[in-house]
Amino acid sequence: MTKPELLRTGHRRHSPVPQACGTEIADGVFACTPPGEGWCLNNAGLITGPEGVTAIDTVATAPRSLALRAFTEALRAGPVRAVVNTHHHGGHTFGNALFPGATVIAHSLARSEMAESGLALTQLWPDAEWGEIRLVLPSVVFDERLTLYSGDRRIELVFCGPAHTTNDVVAWLPDDGVLFTGDVALSGATPCTLAGSVEGALRAVATLRAFGARTIVCGRGPVCGPEVLDETEAYLRWVQIIAMEGWQQGLTPMETAREAGAGDFGHLLDPERTVGNLHRAYAELDGGALGRPLELPPVFAEMAEHNGGVLPACLAC
């Protein structure tokens, strides 16, 4: 499948540019959390300093990226000097091009997976108002840890994959007690490990808990505290339990999801992700390297079936 570097939606009219929703969570640190929750609708962070702004993730569509840029400019803190992509998914990276001149930083695997996947995410929701998107790969990569400075403020980037993906990075601000988790943790939504690892995500949660964060900005959902890590761990352990039961009985992941229902997690959004998580848990029970690639299209088809026969809506546009 050819993966173009540039997507143009021709003369289709875009929806009005949505407002960026930013909240100051520490001195000069902002969480940009759009209202609502859904696929491709992610949070971003902005860290201001004397020489400009460091962004933690960009967003999926051109209209939302422009809104994020407008909010950043309204801070009057200078240009965005650096963009940290917490992982390779387009919902967190497609807006990179809207911050020209910024150094894009990510894990080394994120660069290769971004190059491989290109704009394939748009093919899942071809009717969404993506706008004009140009793929911009990270120009600075690392493997384990990298420390950035915004003035005197230290920003510690820590690799903790495979979890949500193979290339997850979190951003820890030790002087502020603020942690940006990317999609390793989701506030109010079902975790997603289809492209990563259930077991790896549990290890990642332990790493995140050790930071002792007071304020957590997840990849999606409202700003929260460390209680999100407890809920994430509880959900992942439940997935492992029902996966083992279904695997031993010879059930498929889809059959196991239907038998198990929502368990204690019916309040979490996007429950269809449990099907994907079970596919990943089954792969780990079969043995092999954590995070090894799975055939994703059939799994997405099952997730759509579990969602009443339709693919979950892309709410980023």
Side-chain angles (χ1 to χ4, degrees), residues 69-271:
R69 189 173 73 181
F71 178 82
T72 304
E73 292 170 348
L75 297 177
R76 300 186 181 279
V80 174
R81 301 285 190 184
V83 169
V84 177
N85 290 149
T86 60
H87 59 288
H88 74 282
H89 285 161
H92 300 253
T93 63
F94 281 173
N96 289 355
L98 272 296
F99 296 92
T103 299
V104 180
I105 304 166
H107 190 263
S108 56
L109 289 175
R111 177 182 169 91
S112 58
E113 295 213 28
M114 284 173 65
E116 170 64 22
S117 57
L119 301 176
L121 179 65
T122 64
Q123 298 171 21
L124 276 176
W125 292 281
D127 296 327
E129 299 282 357
W130 295 98
E132 186 174 301
I133 301 170
R134 181 171 59 86
L135 193 66
V136 173
L137 301 179
S139 58
V140 174
V141 298
F142 66 99
D143 291 327
E144 296 296 334
R145 288 176 175 261
L146 180 67
T147 300
L148 308 179
Y149 281 89
S150 177
D152 293 330
R153 175 179 275 129
R154 196 161 77 255
I155 307 169
E156 297 180 3
L157 306 182
V158 181
F159 170 61
C160 58
H164 173 63
T165 66
T166 62
N167 52 88
D168 300 291
V169 167
V170 300
W172 166 235
L173 281 56
D175 296 334
D176 304 285
V178 172
L179 178 65
F180 293 90
T181 71
D183 284 354
V184 174
L186 304 176
S187 178
T190 305
C192 182
T193 62
L194 176 58
S197 167
V198 179
E199 178 61 31
L202 282 165
R203 297 174 188 176
V205 167
T207 298
L208 270 53
R209 187 177 280 115
F211 289 125
R214 298 186 298 274
T215 304
I216 294 181
V217 184
C218 297
R220 290 171 172 80
V223 176
C224 58
E227 67 280 355
V228 72
L229 303 179
D230 297 334
E231 183 166 66
T232 302
E233 179 180 0
Y235 171 84
L236 294 169
R237 294 201 182 282
W238 173 72
V239 166
Q240 287 187 322
I241 290 169
I242 63 173
M244 176 63 78
E245 293 173 350
W247 186 76
Q248 289 178 333
Q249 295 173 33
L251 301 178
T252 67
M254 184 67 162
E255 290 168 340
T256 297
R258 286 173 171 165
E259 281 205 4
D264 294 331
F265 306 97
H267 60 288
L268 296 179
L269 298 173
D270 305 318

Side-chain angles (χ1 to χ4, degrees), residues 270-296:
D270 305 318
E272 69 280 349
R273 292 173 179 162
T274 294
V275 176
N277 294 332
L278 283 167
H279 273 274
R280 177 55 66 182
Y282 270 50
E284 292 175 1
L285 288 168
D286 289 338
L290 297 183
R292 70 182 187 276
L294 300 181
E295 190 68 29
L296 298 185

Side-chain angles (χ1 to χ4, degrees), residues 58-77:
T58 57
V59 291
T61 69
R64 285 195 179 275
S65 298
L66 290 169
L68 179 62
R69 189 173 73 181
F71 178 82
T72 304
E73 292 170 348
L75 297 177
R76 300 186 181 279

